[in-house]
């Protein structure tokens, strides 16, 4: 089992909220767990047909990520977003698949309000 802590700064570039690269697992039978440890954000999930949905992440939230879903984090708050991650060591990471078929959802802050835009 692998463990990690993602810490994301509350920055925006051209209004777009800070986002992780995102990935599928090489072994799609490997699920993952995310636990919100601080701050607030979104967990973006994309299925194998490239449809997206989001879950709110905050301190104390727990998120089960099916191995068949690509996933990435977005810091939507004004403080660091901290998320503990746990996944099987044989899961692998497939970043190329997300590069070839990017998430169709982008998150922006405009006048202090979140705007989720689908492409």
């Amino acid at each position: 089992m692998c463990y990690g802590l993602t810490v994301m700064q509350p920055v925006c570039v051209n209004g777009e909220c800070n986002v992780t690269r995102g990935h599928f697992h090489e072994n799609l039978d490997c699920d993952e767990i995310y636990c919100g440890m601080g701050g607030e954000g979104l967990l973006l999930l994309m299925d194998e047909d490239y449809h997206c949905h989001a879950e709110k992440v905050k301190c104390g939230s727990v998120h089960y990520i099916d191995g068949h879903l690509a996933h990435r984090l977005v810091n939507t708050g004004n403080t660091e977003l901290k998320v503990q991650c746990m996944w099987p060591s044989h899961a692998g990471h497939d970043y190329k698949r997300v590069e070839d078929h990017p998430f169709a959802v982008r998150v922006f802050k405009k006048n202090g309000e979140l705007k989720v835009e689908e492409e």
Side-chain angles (χ1 to χ4, degrees), residues 12-32:
C12 294
V13 176
N14 295 325
E16 186 170 8
C17 294
N18 190 9
V19 62
T20 59
R21 188 172 175 190
H23 63 273
F24 281 94
H25 288 165
E26 290 175 349
N27 181 343
L28 298 177
D29 292 327
C30 291
D31 305 329
E32 191 162 351

Side-chain angles (χ1 to χ4, degrees), residues 58-83:
K58 62 182 181 176
C59 189
S61 65
V62 177
H63 307 269
Y64 168 80
I65 303 169
D66 182 281
H68 294 259
L69 297 174
H71 41 286
R72 73 180 341 172
L73 290 167
V74 183
N75 186 340
T76 61
N78 297 316
T79 61
E80 288 182 336
L81 175 63
K82 297 178 183 178
V83 178

Side-chain angles (χ1 to χ4, degrees), residues 26-116:
E26 290 175 349
N27 181 343
L28 298 177
D29 292 327
C30 291
D31 305 329
E32 191 162 351
I33 301 290
Y34 278 11
C35 299
M37 304 298 287
E40 53 187 46
L42 293 173
L43 168 60
L44 296 182
L45 300 163
M46 181 170 65
D47 66 24
E48 293 182 284
D49 293 322
Y50 308 108
H51 298 109
C52 296
H53 69 280
E55 297 179 3
K56 289 184 180 181
V57 178
K58 62 182 181 176
C59 189
S61 65
V62 177
H63 307 269
Y64 168 80
I65 303 169
D66 182 281
H68 294 259
L69 297 174
H71 41 286
R72 73 180 341 172
L73 290 167
V74 183
N75 186 340
T76 61
N78 297 316
T79 61
E80 288 182 336
L81 175 63
K82 297 178 183 178
V83 178
Q84 181 182 19
C85 314
M86 294 154 278
W87 67 97
S89 58
H90 63 283
H93 296 86
D94 183 354
Y95 294 102
K96 177 94 171 85
R97 189 169 172 190
V98 172
E99 290 172 9
D100 292 343
H101 298 279
F103 283 77
V105 172
R106 296 173 69 185
V107 181
F108 295 86
K109 270 191 187 177
K110 295 184 181 177
N111 299 322
E113 292 188 30
L114 288 181
K115 302 288 183 187
V116 178

